[in-house]
Amino acid sequence: MRKMLLAALSRVLQGPAAAGRTAARVMVASRNYGDFASEATFEIKPCDLHRLEKGPGTTAVMTREEGLQYYKTMQTIRRMELKSDQLYKQKIIRGFCHLYDGQEACCVGIEAAINPTDHVITAYRAHGFTFTRGVSVREILAELTGRKGGCAKGKGGSMHMYTKNFYGGNGIVGAQVPLGAGVALACKYFGKNEICVALYGDGAANQGQIFETYNMAALWKLPCIFVCENNRYGMGTSVERAAASTDYYKRGYFIPGLRVDGMDILCVREAVKFAADYCRAGNGPLVMELQTYRYHGHSMSDPGISYRTREEIQEVRSKSDPITLLKDRMVNNNLASVEELKEIDVAVRKEIEEAAQFATTDPEPPLEELGHHIYFNEPPFEVRGPNQWIKYKSVS
């Protein structure tokens, strides 16, 4: 009885604000089971086509469950990148660090359209793809801080994260594209009906090795989607100043291409589904340009406002933000409530804070493990250190 009286007194003292929060939670819980639509159909922007008679459809169906999952995933990536920015400015993360906030619809849309057994390889702006391919936030942040619990044991850092069917994270501009074609060649060789998505930025699009790769992929009809994430600036140079032709989806010439709204997750998902079906049918490769935008600078050493204005960034945020676009669609079509999405936001922030705590307290890898993991499934051997008298043991 005493406990009941204390609980009642506590509710009275907390006042109407607490009662309002409780009522909101009850309202969300009650709406979860009957009041929401199970799915909705949306009009999406048509893709620009190159050497294709027919492209992806201009409508997309999204279920409530899909929408909630997309929202949570994009919000997690956004918050993870903002936390990475904070840790970098505190000098807890060091070295190269390229953030992905603003481009979340690209990696989440791609993952929604392919199978877990398909393959992905990207450039150094890789945190989002690392997460969508299945690596946890705590492993990603621990890798950024160089800790033993990181997904590459603290030895890869921002640009070199890997997991099953995800090959990085590559620091050499454009070099991941021929590697992706090699993965696609393995897909074709083993006959498992798998594809490879090889991504690069507009800044890498003028690399000669990319055109060599196009040629070989077309000759051998490799099941590869070449995706140019065009975020409008290669480092600090706008695409108009860097490229004689900014129609990146036409760069394959003899390879069909698509230009897609990369700020709309449904546009990305439907386009990649179309491209994946095209490749699996044995038609060879396809080039895709995702028109997107990064909110941060090229890397953490770039403030991002010396070659573009704050007003430009704010305009993109206000008119084209991928998370806001998805949120508005879900709320306006009765797939979710504002309160429900706010609860997801709170849960995501809690997850990020817990991951950051782990990433700043987990121990660094010991020096004796410096030579580990050079090869997979090989007997241990010695690796020479900085001079011939220092040896490290390498264990697979």
Side-chain angles (χ1 to χ4, degrees):
M1 177 63 73
R2 184 169 178 269
K3 287 182 179 179
M4 291 174 64
L5 288 171
L6 286 172
L9 177 61
S10 175
R11 284 196 294 272
V12 170
L13 291 174
Q14 287 172 354
R21 287 194 297 270
T22 303
R25 283 195 293 270
V26 170
M27 182 181 70
V28 171
S30 66
R31 291 191 66 191
N32 278 343
Y33 295 100
D35 294 346
F36 292 119
S38 60
E39 64 178 40
T41 302
F42 301 93
E43 296 287 331
I44 57 175
K45 185 178 177 182
C47 298
D48 295 319
L49 308 181
H50 171 64
R51 296 179 68 94
L52 287 168
E53 294 182 1
K54 185 180 178 182
T58 55
T59 60
V61 176
M62 180 175 68
T63 67
R64 167 175 154 78
E65 289 72 24
E66 287 172 342
L68 291 172
Q69 183 59 49
Y70 300 160
Y71 181 82
K72 182 180 179 183
T73 304
M74 288 201 290
Q75 194 68 274
T76 301
I77 294 168
R78 176 72 57 86
R79 290 291 162 189
M80 178 177 70
E81 295 298 66
L82 294 178
K83 177 57 70 174
S84 300
D85 172 87
Q86 181 186 3
L87 294 173
Y88 197 97
K89 289 172 179 173
Q90 294 172 349
K91 298 186 177 180
I92 297 172
I93 295 173
R94 299 295 189 104
F96 293 105
C97 186
H98 306 81
L99 301 182
Y100 200 70
D101 51 318
Q103 300 183 208
E104 296 90 351
C106 297
C107 63
V108 180
I110 288 171
E111 189 62 36
I114 62 176
N115 302 323
T117 52
D118 290 325
H119 308 265
V120 176
I121 186 168
T122 189
Y124 38 76
R125 202 177 303 279
H127 306 163
F129 286 99
T130 307
F131 181 71
T132 57
R133 287 266 87 185
V135 179
S136 68
V137 175
R138 63 187 269 148
E139 288 179 287
I140 293 171
L141 290 182
E143 189 58 41
L144 287 168
T145 57
R147 306 307 170 106
K148 195 173 181 179
C151 57
K153 310 299 181 187
K155 294 184 285 186
S158 174
M159 299 192 292
H160 305 290
M161 299 182 183
Y162 313 94
T163 190
K164 185 174 178 61
N165 299 330
F166 178 62
Y167 308 89
N170 293 268
I172 306 300
V173 176
Q176 72 279 4
V177 179
L179 295 178
V183 174
L185 176 61
C187 293
K188 183 172 183 178
Y189 181 84
F190 290 115
K192 293 183 179 179
N193 201 30
E194 298 168 354
I195 64 166
C196 181
V197 180
L199 297 111
Y200 56 98
D202 53 275
N206 299 318
Q207 287 270 321
Q209 58 189 322
I210 291 179
F211 294 91
E212 294 178 58
T213 304
Y214 285 165
N215 184 59
M216 295 173 73
L219 282 172
W220 296 342
K221 290 189 177 297
L222 300 183
C224 190
I225 308 173
F226 297 108
V227 179
C228 176
E229 288 186 283
N230 176 10
N231 60 24
R232 294 168 48 177
Y233 297 94
M235 296 186 73
T237 306
S238 67
V239 292
E240 292 82 10
R241 293 179 58 223
S245 170
T246 58
D247 291 334
Y248 296 104
Y249 71 111
K250 295 181 179 179
R251 288 289 190 92
Y253 303 112
F254 38 81
I255 300 175
L258 295 169
R259 180 159 61 191
V260 184
D261 181 358
M263 302 298 275
D264 182 347
I265 186 172
L266 295 183
C267 281
V268 176
R269 186 190 72 178
E270 296 305 303
V272 176
K273 280 182 180 179
F274 174 89
D277 290 342
Y278 178 93
C279 291
R280 292 189 213 278
N283 296 311
L286 191 142
V287 176
M288 182 181 297
E289 175 187 347
L290 298 180
Q291 293 185 309
T292 185
Y293 198 82
R294 56 171 165 80
Y295 294 154
H296 269 86
H298 170 75
S299 67
M300 286 303 297
S301 61
D302 168 23
I305 52 172
S306 59
Y307 49 86
R308 58 183 185 176
T309 63
R310 294 181 189 273
E311 289 74 24
E312 177 186 304
I313 301 168
Q314 187 55 43
E315 183 179 12
V316 175
R317 281 184 180 273
S318 62
K319 294 182 179 179
S320 305
D321 183 77
I323 298 176
T324 303
L325 175 61
L326 177 64
K327 178 180 179 179
D328 290 345
R329 276 178 168 162
M330 294 184 69
V331 172
N332 294 339
N333 288 272
N334 199 34
L335 291 175
S337 67
V338 172
E339 293 80 12
E340 184 177 20
L341 297 179
K342 282 182 179 178
E343 289 195 355
I344 292 175
D345 295 346
V346 171
V348 165
R349 290 183 184 185
K350 183 174 184 290
E351 179 187 0
I352 299 300
E353 289 302 324
E354 290 174 353
Q357 180 66 22
F358 172 78
T360 53
T361 56
D362 193 50
E364 295 181 355
L367 185 61
E368 56 266 23
E369 292 184 9
L370 184 65
H372 287 193
H373 311 124
I374 294 175
Y375 294 107
F376 171 72
N377 201 25
E378 290 286 332
F381 64 96
E382 284 191 337
V383 179
R384 177 180 156 167
N387 62 56
Q388 60 183 322
W389 297 283
I390 298 176
K391 304 283 186 181
Y392 296 105
K393 190 175 184 179
S394 181
V395 178
S396 297

